[in-house]
Amino acid sequence: MNKTKAIKYAQDFIISDGHIDLPFRLNKEGLLFNKNIDLNYETNGNFDIPKAKRGGLNCPFMAIYIPSEKKENEAYQFANSLIDLMENVINSNKDFNFAYSPSDVLENFKNGKISLPMGMENGSALGNEIKNLDYFFKRGIRYITLTHAKNNQICDSSYEKEKKWGGLSDFGKLLVKEMNSIGMMIDVSHVSDDTFFDIVKISNKPIIASHSSPRVLTPGFERNLSDEMIELIAKTNGVILINFGSSFVNSKSNKIFTDINDDVEKWRVEKKFKSDDKEVEEYRDQLINKLNPFADIEDVLDAIDHVYNLVGDDYIGFGSDYDGLGNTLPKNLKDVSTYINLIEGLIKRAYSKESIEKICYKNFFRAWNANLQNHQI
Ligand SMILES: [Zn+2]
């Protein structure tokens, strides 16, 4: 009964997701410069057309992810290559289409097409040039995650013990204002707490967290959001797009994955591999299989409940991090065909049809539209 209802909701509502790492996955698969990229078959990844159709996914934001090691010109070039790649992906598959606003997504939905809007994960690609912000907006980027695993020219990262700026740099402060004025959403996933509070002070538009969960579920994990931060995002009329990763929603999983990552890093340095080498992933998978550190779909539902209990149903959405988390996804939530399980869980937990529709896309689209309003280009 609930399952049938969940399938119907998944097909009737638009489902948006704030963060899917398909571009970097395709890059890892060696497809960066391929013109023809067919995704209409069951791939080994978390995302492809058959899975998206089964799960009812219509609007996955593609993460244009720039690894922290790439600096300035290299970062800029790499961002451009990933955007080119996404253009090739859309042109290669008739089920996909471009989307630069919520109204584009609605239009594509009516025509039975999956929209692939883009967000940039790591503002390193902007260098120190504000004019690059306009440039990437024109190339279709609609949000920027200000940094990733390391402090950059814009701000400090949550993952760095030693912070560089104590929040936003001067360039970062200017950038936030410019993002507001051109309609580029500011994504606070990955930034340090001080950066977050600096952004809230300066920004006058709804803020998004494209793939973060409540920190109360993972005490001490700065990458997630404290209750105060969740409340502040809600105050901006923004949205918290919940990260599905096991280590984002369950403290035991978080601890085991932290230990696994430490072990992998030690091994990597010893063996002199690069962090995205295949051997490193294989070694990590071995450890994961041995330790079974996975969270459950119920943990993701707990994350949604927590935000709901704090600020209500207007500020929650999905930010799965599919194709970016490797083998760390919770049970019953392993790929984009499984949003149905999540919706079924929400129905079981007595979320109304209206609330589920808001969580599936309406909240995110409200924030996106508000950012686009009165933009200057
Ligand atoms: Zn990320």
Side-chain angles (χ1 to χ4, degrees):
M1 175 64 186
N2 285 341
K3 185 74 157 188
T4 317
K5 215 189 222 181
I7 293 170
K8 184 164 166 41
Y9 287 179
Q11 295 302 327
D12 288 355
F13 302 154
I14 289 175
I15 296 181
S16 66
D17 190 310
H19 199 93
I20 292 192
D21 273 300
L22 177 74
F24 199 72
R25 173 188 132 203
L26 295 176
N27 168 59
K28 275 202 285 195
E29 291 173 5
L31 300 172
L32 190 56
F33 300 109
N34 273 39
K35 285 264 180 277
N36 216 326
I37 300 165
D38 179 14
L39 284 171
N40 198 8
Y41 71 102
E42 290 288 338
T43 64
N44 291 326
N46 302 150
F47 174 89
D48 52 51
I49 292 169
K51 289 188 188 83
K53 284 189 174 168
R54 284 205 302 282
L57 175 65
N58 316 101
C59 177
F61 261 76
M62 297 285 114
I64 302 300
Y65 159 61
I66 323 295
S68 305
E69 306 88 65
K70 296 194 192 290
K71 303 280 181 238
E72 301 216 357
N73 201 35
E74 200 194 350
Y76 174 86
Q77 299 291 356
F78 188 66
N80 276 298
S81 310
L82 289 181
I83 296 169
D84 294 343
L85 169 71
M86 287 321 298
E87 289 175 355
N88 288 335
V89 165
I90 292 172
N91 291 326
S92 309
N93 296 275
K94 63 174 177 30
D95 290 288
F96 292 147
N97 206 357
F98 296 90
Y100 306 108
S101 65
S103 63
D104 289 347
V105 179
L106 291 167
E107 186 65 28
N108 289 335
F109 182 64
K110 266 192 242 150
N111 297 324
K113 291 194 186 255
I114 298 166
S115 299
L116 298 184
M118 291 179 290
M120 178 185 282
E121 185 174 32
N122 198 350
S124 58
L126 301 170
N128 287 303
E129 298 284 348
I130 286 288
K131 69 174 179 359
N132 285 337
L133 181 64
D134 281 12
Y135 169 78
F136 282 116
F137 189 91
K138 285 178 181 138
R139 288 221 64 187
I141 300 289
R142 287 296 176 268
Y143 73 69
I144 297 177
T145 317
L146 297 188
T147 190
H148 189 252
K150 303 257 186 255
N151 308 326
N152 66 6
Q153 85 282 19
I154 301 168
C155 64
D156 294 333
S157 163
S158 60
Y159 281 139
E160 289 252 45
K161 282 201 184 75
E162 302 255 325
K163 313 293 189 198
K164 183 171 180 190
W165 307 101
L168 286 166
S169 68
D170 286 343
F171 175 71
K173 288 174 187 161
L174 185 65
L175 182 69
V176 164
K177 285 183 196 153
E178 283 299 308
M179 287 172 79
N180 280 169
S181 76
I182 73 160
M184 184 77 88
M185 287 182 276
I186 297 163
D187 176 16
V188 296
S189 290
H190 284 287
V191 306
S192 70
D193 284 8
D194 286 340
T195 304
F196 175 91
F197 293 115
D198 276 357
I199 293 168
V200 170
K201 255 183 252 156
I202 297 170
S203 172
N204 58 20
K205 292 277 174 69
I207 288 167
I208 70 162
S210 74
H211 57 310
S212 295
S213 292
R215 197 178 295 168
V216 71
L217 303 173
T218 56
F221 185 45
E222 195 181 341
R223 172 66 183 79
N224 269 343
L225 302 164
S226 70
D227 286 359
E228 185 188 6
M229 293 159 117
I230 291 169
E231 283 165 348
L232 283 168
I233 292 174
K235 253 193 202 151
T236 74
N237 217 13
V239 66
I240 294 111
L241 305 170
I242 300 290
N243 191 312
F244 297 177
S246 290
S247 56
F248 287 77
V249 292
N250 180 297
S251 63
K252 218 171 115 194
S253 295
N254 185 287
K255 168 89 182 73
I256 305 172
F257 274 113
T258 307
D259 292 345
I260 289 175
N261 288 341
D262 291 349
D263 187 331
V264 170
E265 186 56 16
K266 242 171 70 190
W267 182 86
R268 182 188 75 79
V269 171
E270 221 175 83
K271 303 275 176 189
K272 299 192 169 72
F273 284 119
K274 281 199 297 216
S275 50
D276 54 358
D277 278 340
K278 207 171 76 236
E279 289 82 354
V280 177
E281 209 160 300
E282 282 166 4
Y283 181 69
R284 180 181 285 112
D285 281 348
Q286 270 175 30
L287 293 178
I288 288 173
N289 288 335
K290 207 165 69 189
L291 296 167
N292 189 25
F294 300 111
D296 191 87
I297 190 171
E298 296 301 321
D299 294 306
V300 178
L301 289 161
D302 288 349
I304 294 175
D305 274 354
H306 184 75
V307 179
Y308 179 89
N309 291 333
L310 261 184
V311 293
D313 66 357
D314 286 317
Y315 311 103
I316 314 166
F318 303 139
S320 62
D321 218 348
Y322 280 135
D323 275 338
L325 291 167
N327 184 13
T328 74
L329 287 156
K331 291 170 204 142
N332 296 319
L333 210 50
K334 294 289 187 189
D335 60 52
V336 300
S337 71
T338 58
Y339 295 101
I340 290 165
N341 299 343
L342 204 52
I343 293 174
E344 187 185 4
L346 291 171
I347 296 169
K348 275 192 198 149
R349 291 189 182 204
Y351 280 75
S352 70
K353 185 179 175 187
E354 290 69 31
S355 289
I356 293 171
E357 192 173 14
K358 285 184 189 177
I359 293 169
C360 282
Y361 76 102
K362 281 192 163 169
N363 293 335
F364 188 14
F365 282 16
R366 180 200 63 235
W368 188 4
N369 269 324
N371 271 274
L372 289 176
Q373 233 167 37
N374 309 322
H375 70 97
Q376 289 171 4
I377 56 173

